Amino acid sequence: MKVTIRDVARRAGVGVATVSRVLNGSGYVKAETRERVLAAAAELGYVPSQLARGLVGGLSGTVGLVIPDITNPFFPLITRGVEDAASEAGYTVFLCNTDNDPGLEAHDVQKLRERRVDGVIFVGTTERRESVDRLLADGIPVVVMDRQLNHADVDTVLVDNLAGARAACRHLIGLGHRRIAHAAGHRSTRTGQDRCQGYREALEEAGIAFDPACVAWGDFTYESGYRVCQVLLGLTPRPTAIFAGNDLIALGAIRAAEDAGLAVPDDLSVVGFDDIQMAALVRPGLTTVRQPAREMGRMAMTMLLQRIRGEAAGPGRRHVYQPELIVRGTTRRREPHA
Amino acid sequence: MKVTIRDVARRAGVGVATVSRVLNGSGYVKAETRERVLAAAAELGYVPSQLARGLVGGLSGTVGLVIPDITNPFFPLITRGVEDAASEAGYTVFLCNTDNDPGLEAHDVQKLRERRVDGVIFVGTTERRESVDRLLADGIPVVVMDRQLNHADVDTVLVDNLAGARAACRHLIGLGHRRIAHAAGHRSTRTGQDRCQGYREALEEAGIAFDPACVAWGDFTYESGYRVCQVLLGLTPRPTAIFAGNDLIALGAIRAAEDAGLAVPDDLSVVGFDDIQMAALVRPGLTTVRQPAREMGRMAMTMLLQRIRGEAAGPGRRHVYQPELIVRGTTRRREPHA
DNA sequence: TTGTAAGCGTTATCAA
DNA sequence: TTGATAACGCTTACAA
């Protein structure tokens, strides 16, 4: 039932080495022989075993992609970008969801090591180094996305969160807002911290005093945005604008504002971050800071391939994308009251 | 650098067979020896090669998941369900996006065969049988989701589209609507056809004459929904409600209606299908027919595992879920005009 | 140019 | 209970 290289060899009347040569384009093979082998392989419907190939010491042709949750709208685009580049290179990708649970992450990484993946891309997951170190010790290259892991040996792909946050807040300030709150992401993430920092810098350069009460930490979810916005709206004086740590938070914040009887953008302007698909589809459209997610995923896979192929050596490289402010309907000029 | 079973054997002062036995829990091993082996493996940081294991004739511990596009909000949930069940069983999943392109699908399936996956799940992709037949010929079990492939040997997991569509339309009819249009999905898909059929049945049982002009085919995208709705709204008399082939179509239709100056649900009621995450987040909330996507993904993987383990033989089984109508804000009672 | 044979890391058979 | 050893399917010297 399973046809092996031996069957093809027999059928073509040659040795297995010759079959291997024509299939891999390695070594010299007479044109005629090549034809014969190809024909035999086709007739038999031969499919070489990557397991065997990988075992010989070559590559497995697979990579692992470790993310928190594919259900979070931020990850599908990145995943697609990774997959695009992988597929083009003849690679196949293992998808792993960790839910940001260290235990699950360890389990996934263990499986990936058993599968002898040629490389791994971590996105938006843990800042812990264990998993990465283990992989590196195995000689498996790693690329990290949407997280900063100051590790000497890993390549990093990310967006300039500081600049993005600044752009978002400057936009708000330019619209006349002075009382701007920040519905922040998760306090322990570098991403959350950077966006908060950008927010503070924008306020500072505009000469607006920073009010600690105006930043509320939570996590990067819709629910968190809803919750956190409720407290922010209870401030006195009430903020006229909110810069959210990401789009999900922004969406939750908008809902909270509406439930509190406030209109967006009339009573409250809101800016998000990421530009997930939903941002363009909700009404009013969400003003946000776009990350070129698919492109970033593709870049991560490209960098990983370079490491795998030994085309890139040395210390970890870092590719930083400049985000772009997308102005839609959730922000508007603040009407100076009386 | 790579530690093999031989290294562990040497370190523990036993033969490789013994190491294999303790690691797989097969055969008899003296408790003391077992300890020694386990210790050696741990000290060396030994990670067994699944490539080698698979080669011996066992399983590779991997499955393929073939979908059109992870970027389409309908697929992440299913993917997650598959991944959940796979991970629990020690399996790892290869994710493949085909964009519904037969060429890409063939390429992906070829790679999956080379990787010697133990099984494959196709969701929402092609009704062509080639890929499936090839896999089956290899002895690789297949489960199909969200598509009907009347193939004797594959298990199928799907939702009762007919019932779902009927429920959606009955809801509309119960609200007093008589002029109901259908923004259909792709004409060549069974899913699209079934939902259209359910729509017709509901009209019929209510004694409403079917008007061919009221069903407009397109595909399952937001853009298609927008486009198709524009022509539907040009009908005379104008429909007071639209049943969309899925949520993306519904969202596009709503946007088209609003752009045409119509209010949803005041001037037009809209019902979708799927209940993607976005449906609950948009304003007004989208009334739709929910598919238990994550649960369905989990079921598909479970059925696949049974086939892989030989716990299920015989003809293809079929698991049909009953969808649930979720009433939110895009539907409302039709005000009888004068 | 092409074939033989030695691995690659595991599991499984068979003696011991 | 345990240890050789023969596969598993393929690549790659090494000969021919």
Side-chain angles (χ1 to χ4, degrees):
Chain A
M1 186 173 195
K2 282 291 179 214
V3 23
T4 76
I5 196 173
R6 225 175 301 266
D7 300 314
V8 178
R10 199 169 314 144
R11 170 98 168 194
V14 301
V16 293
T18 301
V19 176
S20 179
R21 285 192 202 96
V22 341
L23 262 30
N24 296 296
S26 59
Y28 297 93
V29 179
K30 202 199 301 178
E32 190 215 336
T33 310
R34 144 176 261 93
E35 293 312 317
R36 204 135 39 84
V37 170
L38 255 20
E43 289 163 25
L44 263 32
Y46 172 64
V47 178
S49 165
Q50 188 62 242
L51 297 184
R53 295 230 250 234
L55 190 55
V56 180
L59 278 13
S60 68
T62 63
V63 296
L65 174 58
V66 182
I67 63 179
D69 181 15
I70 191 64
T71 264
N72 178 322
F74 176 62
F75 299 107
L77 264 183
I78 286 179
T79 299
R80 193 53 150 93
V82 170
E83 229 270 292
D84 290 344
S87 182
E88 284 169 20
Y91 265 77
T92 313
V93 2
F94 282 121
L95 181 66
C96 302
N97 298 87
T98 67
D99 280 330
N100 271 321
D101 174 328
L104 288 182
E105 179 182 302
H107 174 264
D108 288 336
V109 170
Q110 169 71 11
K111 286 303 177 191
L112 258 17
R113 296 205 297 159
E114 289 179 3
R115 267 78 177 154
R116 296 297 190 259
V117 293
D118 297 337
V120 175
I121 296 176
F122 280 90
V123 16
T125 194
T126 183
E127 236 117 28
R128 273 165 293 104
R129 302 178 38 145
E130 283 183 40
S131 298
V132 173
D133 284 337
R134 239 186 280 281
L135 256 2
L136 259 21
D138 282 357
I140 299 176
V142 170
V143 173
V144 171
M145 289 186 67
D146 191 44
R147 276 290 187 280
Q148 308 236 190
L149 192 72
N150 288 312
H151 198 300
D153 304 318
V154 311
D155 291 328
T156 311
V157 174
L158 30 67
V159 79
D160 189 336
N161 287 305
L162 239 48
R166 263 183 318 231
C169 295
R170 282 180 188 147
H171 167 61
L172 255 14
I173 293 168
L175 251 24
H177 294 278
R178 307 283 298 175
R179 181 73 173 162
I180 303 172
H182 178 40
H186 200 88
R187 183 167 230 139
S188 73
T189 64
R190 178 65 186 270
T191 299
Q193 292 162 9
D194 283 356
R195 291 180 189 170
C196 182
Q197 180 58 27
Y199 154 80
R200 296 186 59 162
E201 289 179 9
L203 291 192
E204 183 168 11
E205 74 183 19
I208 301 175
F210 170 66
D211 177 356
C214 272
V215 357
W217 294 91
D219 56 42
F220 292 103
T221 64
Y222 178 90
E223 290 68 29
S224 175
Y226 189 94
R227 215 177 312 123
V228 141
C229 181
Q230 291 180 311
V231 348
L232 255 18
L233 292 179
L235 257 33
T236 315
R238 177 171 12 98
T240 64
I242 289 182
F243 165 52
N246 75 358
D247 287 348
L248 248 20
I249 293 177
L251 260 14
I254 290 171
R255 175 60 71 104
E258 292 179 346
D259 284 357
L262 262 29
V264 174
D266 294 341
D267 302 318
L268 181 76
S269 282
V270 177
V271 184
F273 206 114
D274 289 346
D275 193 28
I276 59 179
Q277 186 181 19
M278 229 178 290
L281 302 188
V282 295
R283 270 301 175 92
L286 179 64
T287 292
T288 188
V289 178
R290 171 183 299 165
Q291 292 201 52
R294 189 158 176 170
E295 170 57 27
M296 289 167 71
R298 174 178 278 284
M299 172 57 70
M301 184 64 205
T302 301
M303 294 175 84
L304 187 59
L305 281 169
Q306 293 172 341
R307 290 284 182 182
I308 291 172
R309 294 170 174 152
E311 296 168 5
R317 298 166 294 173
R318 140 176 324 233
H319 204 291
V320 182
Y321 282 86
Q322 283 309 311
E324 178 192 4
L325 179 71
I326 306 292
V327 178
R328 283 196 273 249
T330 56
T331 49
R332 101 184 253 163
R333 177 156 292 286
R334 159 155 175 56
E335 303 300 345
H337 291 9
Chain B
M1 186 172 193
K2 282 291 179 212
V3 21
T4 76
I5 196 173
R6 226 174 300 265
D7 300 315
V8 178
R10 198 169 314 145
R11 171 97 165 197
V14 301
V16 294
T18 301
V19 176
S20 180
R21 285 192 203 94
V22 342
L23 261 31
N24 296 295
S26 59
Y28 297 94
V29 179
K30 202 199 300 178
E32 191 216 334
T33 311
R34 141 177 264 94
E35 294 311 318
R36 205 137 36 84
V37 171
L38 256 19
E43 288 163 26
L44 263 32
Y46 171 64
V47 178
S49 166
Q50 189 62 243
L51 297 185
R53 284 182 165 168
L55 188 58
V56 179
L59 277 16
S60 68
T62 63
V63 295
L65 174 58
V66 183
I67 63 177
D69 181 15
I70 191 66
T71 262
N72 178 322
F74 176 61
F75 299 107
L77 263 184
I78 286 179
T79 299
R80 193 53 150 95
V82 170
E83 230 270 292
D84 290 344
S87 182
E88 284 169 18
Y91 265 77
T92 314
V93 2
F94 281 121
L95 181 66
C96 301
N97 297 87
T98 66
D99 280 330
N100 270 321
D101 176 327
L104 289 182
E105 179 181 302
H107 174 265
D108 288 337
V109 170
Q110 169 71 10
K111 286 302 178 192
L112 256 17
R113 296 206 297 159
E114 289 179 1
R115 267 74 173 159
R116 296 298 190 258
V117 292
D118 297 337
V120 176
I121 296 176
F122 280 91
V123 17
T125 193
T126 183
E127 236 116 27
R128 274 165 290 105
R129 303 176 38 145
E130 283 182 40
S131 298
V132 173
D133 285 336
R134 239 185 282 280
L135 256 3
L136 260 20
D138 282 357
I140 300 176
V142 170
V143 173
V144 172
M145 288 186 68
D146 192 44
R147 275 292 186 280
Q148 307 237 188
L149 192 72
N150 289 313
H151 199 300
D153 304 318
V154 311
D155 290 329
T156 310
V157 174
L158 28 68
V159 80
D160 189 336
N161 286 305
L162 239 48
R166 260 181 318 219
C169 294
R170 282 180 188 147
H171 167 61
L172 254 14
I173 292 168
L175 252 24
H177 294 278
R178 306 283 299 175
R179 181 74 173 162
I180 303 171
H182 178 40
H186 199 89
R187 182 167 232 140
S188 74
T189 63
R190 179 65 187 269
T191 300
Q193 292 162 9
D194 282 356
R195 291 180 189 171
C196 182
Q197 180 59 24
Y199 155 81
R200 295 186 59 162
E201 290 179 8
L203 290 192
E204 183 167 10
E205 72 183 22
I208 301 176
F210 170 65
D211 178 355
C214 273
V215 357
W217 294 90
D219 56 41
F220 293 102
T221 64
Y222 177 90
E223 291 68 28
S224 175
Y226 189 93
R227 213 177 314 122
V228 141
C229 181
Q230 289 181 313
V231 347
L232 255 19
L233 292 180
L235 257 33
T236 314
R238 176 170 15 97
T240 63
I242 289 182
F243 165 52
N246 75 357
D247 288 348
L248 248 20
I249 293 177
L251 260 14
I254 289 171
R255 176 60 71 103
E258 293 180 344
D259 284 357
L262 263 30
V264 174
D266 295 342
D267 302 317
L268 181 76
S269 282
V270 178
V271 184
F273 206 114
D274 288 347
D275 193 29
I276 59 179
Q277 185 181 21
M278 228 178 290
L281 302 189
V282 294
R283 270 303 175 91
L286 180 64
T287 292
T288 188
V289 178
R290 172 183 297 164
Q291 294 201 51
R294 189 157 177 171
E295 170 56 28
M296 288 167 71
R298 175 179 279 283
M299 173 58 69
M301 184 64 205
T302 301
M303 292 176 85
L304 187 60
L305 281 170
Q306 293 172 341
R307 290 284 181 184
I308 292 173
R309 294 171 174 152
E311 296 168 4
R317 298 164 295 172
R318 141 177 321 234
H319 205 290
V320 182
Y321 282 84
Q322 283 309 311
E324 178 191 4
L325 179 71
I326 306 292
V327 178
R328 285 196 271 251
T330 56
T331 48
R332 101 184 253 162
R333 177 156 293 286
R334 159 153 176 58
E335 303 301 345
H337 290 11

